[in-house]
Amino acid sequence: EFILGEALTSLRRNSWMSFAAVTTAAMALYLMGGLGYAYSVVQGYAAGVAQNFEMRVFLREGATKAQITQAAEKIRAIPEVRAATWIPKEQAWARFRQLYPDVVQDIDNPLPDAFKVTLVKVQDASKVASKISALSIVEQNGVRYLDEERELLSEATTLVRWLGAVLGGLMLATSGVLIYNAIRLTILARRREIRIMQLVGATPATVISTLLVEGVLQGALGGVLAAALLMSSHSGIQKVMLNLSAVSKLAPFPFVTWAVYLAVAGATYGFVCSLLAVRDPKRIP
């Protein structure tokens, strides 16, 4: 109780420096948390795409059932392939005629036998396509998949990850300097009080604990504020998307979960910065 009370008293005395440290930490965690949340959403979307991603493999004309069975075994043996389903050309033609009855009148079946291939990871599409194209039964340029969409998704995840690392890292460095300076100013402003505490028997651990708790509180407050900013941004984006399209909808923002994550991250960072500020006992009067 004494240590926590002293830490809160110090925050009130150095209100402006504490405000600067908390808000800067909040902005750093807001950037990193926001980009982290965006990355998790993109990754979740990518996982869903991987489950539904289909690669079509068209076979050469005249392929026998034995050759098709052998090709199916080779495709399923590829480690990156989740499943491979044979689509007979008669079945594909019947479905096409059902969908477009006016277009296919008096036309013979022009469709080849094919495989529907699903992957474990959508990022392995190029590798899998290269291996399947090497099979002699597959017609030239007979592997079809959404390569451009896959590349766009991969680039989006990479961009979000790098933005989070660079921008969030810069803001964290700035907030670390502010938390460090706030602790050093506290030490200078309370030299007499710290000296009196030492004279009446306070151990160095007691004195240092107060300063460490102050840094932890600053970081934790920054984390909670960052979570509130994220929820506000999420709500604003949701309103814009609803105005643009009636079917576009984001998942609800998990405020409590992210508030806990960011508060713990901020508290840990504040503790480290405070520990650096008091690491040398000789610098504490």
Side-chain angles (χ1 to χ4, degrees):
E1 182 181 356
F2 169 77
I3 292 175
L4 182 60
E6 287 295 307
L8 292 174
T9 300
S10 180
L11 287 175
R12 288 196 300 269
R13 287 178 177 174
N14 300 317
S15 57
W16 284 110
M17 181 59 72
S18 298
F19 175 79
V22 169
T23 53
T24 309
M27 290 307 300
L29 293 169
Y30 169 71
L31 283 174
M32 295 195 72
L35 290 170
Y37 179 71
Y39 182 74
S40 67
V41 171
V42 172
Q43 283 290 87
Y45 177 74
V49 169
Q51 294 290 335
N52 301 316
F53 184 86
E54 294 182 358
M55 178 181 291
R56 294 300 173 120
V57 179
F58 297 102
L59 308 181
R60 294 184 183 276
E61 188 66 31
T64 65
K65 186 165 292 188
Q67 291 175 321
I68 294 173
T69 302
Q70 186 179 15
E73 292 175 353
K74 291 181 179 180
I75 293 174
R76 291 173 186 142
I78 298 174
E80 296 83 5
V81 171
R82 184 187 302 274
T85 305
W86 175 40
I87 304 176
K89 59 182 181 181
E90 294 80 8
Q91 178 182 331
W93 182 240
R95 179 170 176 78
F96 190 85
R97 292 180 62 182
Q98 183 180 2
L99 293 175
Y100 307 101
D102 298 332
V103 179
V104 297
Q105 293 180 358
D106 301 325
I107 298 178
D108 294 331
N109 184 1
L111 301 179
D113 290 294
F115 283 108
K116 180 178 72 175
V117 179
T118 57
L119 309 180
V120 176
K121 295 181 180 179
V122 68
Q123 291 84 356
D124 297 327
S126 298
K127 185 193 301 184
V128 174
S130 177
K131 292 180 179 179
I132 294 177
S133 298
L135 300 177
S136 59
I137 195 175
V138 178
E139 70 177 19
Q140 188 176 5
N141 300 322
V143 180
R144 309 288 174 82
Y145 63 102
L146 301 176
D147 188 47
E148 293 183 359
E149 287 76 2
R150 180 190 62 82
E151 288 291 339
L152 180 62
L153 191 61
S154 177
E155 290 175 2
T157 55
T158 303
L159 177 62
V160 170
R161 184 168 59 248
W162 277 104
L163 282 176
V166 175
L167 296 180
L170 289 175
M171 292 299 294
L172 274 180
T174 304
S175 65
V177 171
L178 288 171
I179 293 175
Y180 177 93
N181 287 336
I183 300 301
R184 293 309 304 168
L185 284 176
T186 298
I187 295 173
L188 293 175
R190 299 178 61 195
R191 283 179 298 178
R192 181 174 297 180
E193 292 180 31
I194 293 175
R195 184 58 180 162
I196 293 173
M197 290 171 62
Q198 292 172 337
L199 290 174
V200 298
T203 63
T206 302
V207 177
I208 291 174
S209 297
T210 303
L211 302 172
L212 293 179
V213 170
E214 182 180 343
V216 168
L217 288 175
Q218 289 176 345
L221 288 173
V224 174
L225 181 58
L229 291 173
L230 280 177
M231 185 175 66
S232 177
S233 300
H234 182 274
S235 177
I237 294 173
Q238 178 68 74
K239 290 179 180 178
V240 171
M241 293 184 68
L242 288 175
N243 290 332
L244 292 176
S245 174
V247 297
S248 298
K249 187 176 182 180
L250 294 175
F253 181 74
F255 173 76
V256 176
T257 301
W258 279 89
V260 172
Y261 286 159
L262 295 177
V264 171
T268 304
Y269 188 65
F271 176 82
V272 172
C273 295
S274 301
L275 190 62
L276 291 175
V278 299
R279 69 186 184 280
D280 187 0
K282 296 180 181 179
R283 298 183 67 183
I284 300 180

